[in-house]
Amino acid sequence: MKLKSLKNIWILSLAILLVAFGACKEDELDFQELNAQKLVKGWQIGQSGSARFDLTSITSEFTDFQITFSGDKNGGAYTTSGGQDVFDASGTWTFVPENPNGIRLTGNKAAAGKNVTMVFSGARLILDFTVSGSSASNFSPGNRVESLAGNYRFELETR
């Protein structure tokens, strides 16, 4: 009789663990879907946004910056204007695996391939990412090399 009771307890425990594991995975997917719904729209520096590089304001260089995301929890496309040497004019985006608050952009400019952390604050989107020194040089006219390595923060408002 005791063996049958232990077997029932073991089966019940296993069932509870499977349900709990399934709920965790479901919550993660729901969080990605929620973040995708918030992300998918047009964003801009606008009147109250800003751009910073290593804590120094570079907003004046990005006053016309706009980025538009389309897609869903599985990723999608993006387009920009006024992205300078930091953002490509277009590409695709995906969530960083195991991180529904991080996205990765495709392209060749400084932000491409980086883990970009997203923070939603009311009607604002904050994008934070770091560009390493080894892959962050821009060859400008006259063969002058300008380093794009550093920490970036873009605080954007909806368009």
Side-chain angles (χ1 to χ4, degrees), residues 113-127:
K114 308 301 180 274
N115 290 340
V116 179
T117 301
M118 305 178 303
V119 176
F120 295 99
S121 176
R124 296 179 140 238
L125 168 64
I126 299 169
L127 300 175

Side-chain angles (χ1 to χ4, degrees), residues 16-88:
I16 290 171
L17 285 173
L18 289 174
V19 168
F21 179 73
C24 289
K25 281 295 196 187
E26 187 175 305
D27 289 346
E28 182 179 309
L29 292 177
D30 290 345
F31 197 59
Q32 274 188 344
E33 182 142 352
L34 179 63
N35 276 349
Q37 289 172 2
K38 291 178 187 177
L39 179 67
V40 172
K41 62 178 78 165
W43 299 94
Q44 65 183 355
I45 294 287
Q47 297 298 315
S48 63
S50 64
R52 287 186 289 197
F53 172 73
D54 286 340
L55 302 178
T56 300
S57 176
I58 55 171
T59 305
S60 63
E61 297 176 40
F62 288 90
T63 56
D64 296 329
F65 177 67
Q66 296 182 359
I67 187 166
T68 302
F69 295 95
S70 62
D72 58 26
K73 67 182 180 182
N74 298 311
Y78 74 91
T79 58
T80 69
S81 62
Q84 310 294 352
D85 292 321
V86 179
F87 292 95
D88 286 271

